[in-house]
C-alpha cells in the first residue's frame, strides 16, 4: 500500500461557547486536516490544531510543517515492516519537524488511521493487536481490551505480520 496523495486543508469551526484561558478568549477552533490516500483508495485522516500559547508552533507554522511532512510520505509504504515503513516514517518526521509537534501528531494519526483501515479495523483495535490484546465492545457499548493467547493468529486475522507491520 503506497501513499499516492496527500492533501492538507485548513479548517475553522465556531465553538458553541467561547473558550476562555489565561492566554485570552477564543470563539473558534482552527487547524489543518491531513488526508493521506493510498493506491487502493483507502484514506487516513489526521489533524493539527495547535493552541496559541500552549504549544511550540503557531497555526501557520503547523500548516507549513504539515505540508512538508505530507510531501515526505508520498510514495511510501506505511505497511512495510522494514525501510520506509510506519516506524521509519514517524522517525523521519520527528527529525524533519522537531519544533512542530501538532504537525507530527497529525501525520502520526493519519498514518495509523490509514494502516488500521487497510487492516479492516479501528486504530484502537490495530494498536491493541500490536500489543497482544484486542478490543471488544461490552454490553454498555464501551471498549474493553482483552488479552489473547495466540497473538500471531489474531494478527494474521487482521492481515498483519507478527510485529503488527505489513501483510502476514
Amino acid at each position: 500500500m503506497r501513499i499516492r496523495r496527500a492533501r492538507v486543508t485548513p479548517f475553522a469551526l465556531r465553538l458553541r461557547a467561547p473558550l476562555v484561558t489565561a492566554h485570552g478568549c477564543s470563539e473558534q477552533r482552527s487547524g489543518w486536516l491531513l488526508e493521506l490516500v493510498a493506491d487502493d483508495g483507502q484514506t487516513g485522516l489526521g489533524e493539527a490544531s495547535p493552541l496559541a500559547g500552549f504549544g511550540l508552533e503557531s497555526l501557520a507554522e503547523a500548516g507549513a510543517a504539515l505540508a512538508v511532512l505530507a510531501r515526505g510520505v508520498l510514495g511510501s509504504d506505511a505497511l512495510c515492516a522494514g525501510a520506509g515503513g510506519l516506524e521509519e516514517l514517524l522517525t523521519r518526521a520527528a527529525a524533519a519537524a522537531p519544533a512542530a509537534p501538532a504537525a507530527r501528531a497529525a501525520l502520526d494519526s493519519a498514518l495509523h488511521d490509514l494502516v488500521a483501515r487497510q487492516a479492516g479495523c479501528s486504530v484502537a483495535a490495530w494498536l491493541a493487536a500490536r500489543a497482544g490484546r484486542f478490543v471488544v465492545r461490552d454490553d454498555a457499548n464501551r471498549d474493553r481490551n482483552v488479552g489473547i493467547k495466540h497473538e500471531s493468529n489474531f494478527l494474521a486475522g487482521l492481515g498483519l505480520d507478527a510485529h503488527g507491520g505489513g501483510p502476514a
Side-chain angles (χ1 to χ4, degrees), residues 44-68:
L45 301 174
E47 62 91 18
S49 300
L51 278 172
F54 289 97
L56 297 179
E57 80 253 61
S58 69
L59 183 61
E61 291 166 335
L66 190 53
V68 169

Side-chain angles (χ1 to χ4, degrees), residues 20-95:
V20 181
T21 70
H23 296 278
C25 180
S26 180
E27 295 185 9
Q28 76 175 16
R29 190 77 169 106
S30 299
W32 302 94
L33 181 65
L34 171 62
E35 179 186 30
L36 300 177
V37 181
D39 50 15
D40 66 355
Q42 290 283 353
T43 61
L45 301 174
E47 62 91 18
S49 300
L51 278 172
F54 289 97
L56 297 179
E57 80 253 61
S58 69
L59 183 61
E61 291 166 335
L66 190 53
V68 169
L69 294 176
R71 282 192 302 273
V73 299
L74 290 175
S76 299
D77 183 353
L79 278 178
C80 174
L86 180 62
E87 296 304 322
E88 183 180 305
L89 293 174
L90 295 174
T91 299
R92 287 191 339 220

Side-chain angles (χ1 to χ4, degrees), residues 112-138:
H112 278 90
D113 188 34
L114 184 59
V115 170
R117 287 175 191 244
Q118 189 72 25
C121 62
S122 68
V123 174
W126 187 82
L127 290 171
R130 286 187 65 184
R133 304 183 69 71
F134 65 96
V135 176
V136 296
R137 302 294 264 176
D138 66 13

